[in-house]
């Protein structure tokens, strides 16, 4: 007996190829002792370059 297919199932039905993204969160300490968090979404293959740039800033 075959399974019933749900019309509301969230699957990729052959749409456009999706990009792999990563979220980078960098913490920086301010002069008054508080921490500042900056977040950025980048493509997965550019993560190392963005981390190097964030550490330099």
């Amino acid at each position: 007996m075959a399974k019933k297919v749900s019309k509301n199932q969230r699957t990729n039905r052959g749409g456009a190829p999706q990009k792999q993204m990563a979220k980078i969160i960098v913490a920086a300490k301010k002069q008054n002792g508080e921490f500042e968090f900056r977040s950025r979404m980048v493509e997965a293959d550019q993560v190392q370059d963005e981390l190097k740039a964030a550490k330099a800033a």
Side-chain angles (χ1 to χ4, degrees):
M1 196 155 123
K3 286 187 172 182
K4 186 176 179 180
V5 177
S6 173
K7 294 178 185 176
N8 297 326
Q9 184 180 12
R10 293 180 183 233
T11 60
N12 186 3
R13 295 190 176 129
Q18 297 178 357
K19 293 182 181 180
Q20 295 292 322
M21 301 295 283
K23 186 173 186 176
I24 297 175
I25 301 173
V26 179
K29 193 170 185 178
K30 295 182 181 180
Q31 291 181 353
N32 62 2
E34 295 178 354
F35 284 94
E36 173 186 23
F37 295 96
R38 291 176 280 148
S39 63
R40 185 170 181 179
M41 294 292 292
V42 296
E43 291 187 29
D45 56 345
Q46 298 177 352
V47 170
Q48 295 300 323
D49 297 332
E50 292 292 329
L51 285 175
K52 287 178 186 175
K55 288 181 182 179

